[in-house]
Amino acid sequence: MPKMIFVNLPVTDLTRSTKFYEAVGGTKNPQFSDDTAACMVFSETIFAMLLTHEKYSSFTTRPIADAHKTSQFMIAVSADSRDEVDAVVGRAGSAGGVVDPNPQQDYGFMYGRSFEDPDGHVWEVMWMDPAAVASGEAGAAA
């Protein structure tokens, strides 16, 4: 069975965040959602758990960082093409996210852009040319 990833994100407005993540391609799984959490499915192996601050705080004693002011991590997901990268970032912008809070990356064989959700969490969307990976060009240039 492949490993799965569950990204747990504290959100200030669960309804707004759920709508945002639906706009960028997630599907809400009602089986693991309630008035304190929404499980957003992006693939068979990638999930984002949107958690109210109260719910998120039940899993940690650390304070919740203001992602608009600090950067603890960036989440990167793959795309099938350069056009898909642009489309996902465009949908994020149309849904109220910040487009390209980080510099765009264009190395020819690899292309990436980013968006920020309403709570300041930054996601990168990356495409890499499979032919460059197979030839070893990608590893040599990275």
Side-chain angles (χ1 to χ4, degrees):
M1 181 168 145
K3 297 272 186 202
M4 299 182 344
I5 184 169
F6 293 84
V7 177
N8 296 291
L9 299 173
V11 300
T12 56
D13 183 329
L14 185 60
T15 300
R16 177 189 68 188
S17 293
T18 301
K19 289 178 182 177
F20 177 84
Y21 281 98
E22 286 173 334
V24 296
T27 303
K28 182 178 173 182
N29 180 339
Q31 184 178 6
F32 298 105
S33 302
D34 59 22
D35 61 344
T36 66
C39 176
M40 305 305 296
V41 180
F42 290 93
S43 74
E44 293 180 11
T45 58
I46 303 172
F47 306 84
M49 292 298 300
L50 309 178
L51 306 169
T52 63
H53 279 218
E54 181 179 5
K55 181 72 165 189
Y56 189 91
S57 294
S58 72
F59 297 110
T60 182
T61 58
R62 295 182 180 197
I64 296 172
D66 181 346
H68 292 287
K69 297 178 181 177
T70 62
S71 178
Q72 186 176 24
F73 61 86
M74 287 178 279
I75 305 159
V77 295
S78 63
D80 292 331
S81 67
R82 294 173 68 95
D83 288 341
E84 184 183 0
V85 170
D86 291 337
V88 170
V89 172
R91 288 194 306 266
S94 295
V98 175
V99 172
D100 295 317
N102 294 329
Q104 293 184 26
Q105 302 174 45
D106 192 347
Y107 301 104
F109 69 90
M110 183 172 74
Y111 176 68
R113 296 182 61 196
S114 58
F115 66 84
E116 181 180 309
D117 77 4
D119 289 283
H121 307 292
V122 177
W123 290 74
E124 292 182 322
V125 185
M126 303 291 297
W127 166 82
M128 189 175 298
D129 181 358
V133 174
S135 72
E137 173 190 346

